Amino acid sequence: MGSDWLNTWSNVFQSVGTVGAFVTGFVLLRRELKREADRTEDERRAQAAKVSAWVEMYRRTDGTRELALHVHNASDMPIYEVDLPLPVPVGEDPETEFIGLVPPGQTIRRPAPRAWLTSYTEPEPVEIEFQDSMGRQWRRDEQGALVRTSGQRTIEPR
């Protein structure tokens, strides 16, 4: 009877060990898959994270000051289909400033709407929509949040 009892407990410990090894392996696999998914998402966002847009006053070559929209592409690849959705009063049709292409490492400047001069106090971010070099659509809002979009342009250029 002593040997049967010993064999039974030995089998129980082996079973628990096997189940524990399986669970540990499964948990480690899930962690690695999550880490790989995060790494892949970081790679997808790498270029988009280097794109920004803001409104700022600048001095022109003739000495006058002008309010302008700035789009900066700090990545090493161009961005395409660049749109700056412009805020409009409720009930009016949405408008955008279409820029098109922004080459790598460059800042594009376009005149801001004259009506903005009355409320301008300091440089501030503006919303931007663009396509990265891999064809993915992105939107960065005025608070700097970057989100991948479906790729459908919702606002027609003016």
Side-chain angles (χ1 to χ4, degrees):
M1 174 113 127
S3 133
D4 288 339
W5 181 82
L6 191 57
N7 280 338
T8 301
W9 277 108
S10 174
N11 288 337
V12 167
F13 282 129
Q14 286 177 357
S15 298
V16 168
T18 301
V19 169
F22 176 76
V23 168
T24 301
F26 183 73
V27 167
L28 292 175
L29 176 65
R30 284 183 44 94
R31 282 185 188 166
E32 185 57 32
L33 290 174
K34 169 91 170 85
R35 193 179 354 238
E36 184 62 30
D38 291 345
R39 193 174 14 254
T40 301
E41 181 62 21
D42 288 346
E43 289 171 5
R44 280 189 203 120
R45 296 175 69 87
Q47 182 184 16
K50 295 178 181 179
V51 175
S52 57
W54 68 96
V55 62
E56 182 177 21
M57 190 74 71
Y58 78 100
R59 188 171 305 280
R60 295 172 42 173
T61 54
D62 65 1
T64 61
R65 294 171 51 97
E66 182 175 53
L67 190 60
L69 298 165
H70 298 78
V71 176
H72 182 67
N73 176 11
S75 76
D76 56 357
M77 298 292 291
I79 57 172
Y80 306 93
E81 301 297 320
V82 178
D83 274 330
L84 298 173
L86 304 175
V88 294
V90 177
E92 290 189 21
D93 290 334
E95 294 181 11
T96 66
E97 177 68 33
F98 180 73
I99 294 175
L101 173 93
V102 178
Q106 292 193 19
T107 301
I108 301 294
R109 185 170 39 208
R110 295 287 166 83
R114 289 220 176 269
W116 289 14
L117 280 170
T118 58
S119 63
Y120 178 80
T121 57
E122 62 185 21
E124 60 183 82
V126 294
E127 185 176 340
I128 181 173
E129 296 175 357
F130 62 95
Q131 178 181 319
D132 69 14
S133 61
M134 297 299 290
R136 294 179 288 253
Q137 292 291 130
W138 297 91
R139 182 177 55 81
R140 183 182 298 278
D141 67 17
E142 297 90 346
Q143 286 74 42
L146 180 66
V147 294
R148 188 168 172 194
T149 61
S150 65
Q152 302 297 325
R153 288 179 67 194
T154 56
I155 302 172
E156 292 300 315
R158 59 179 169 147

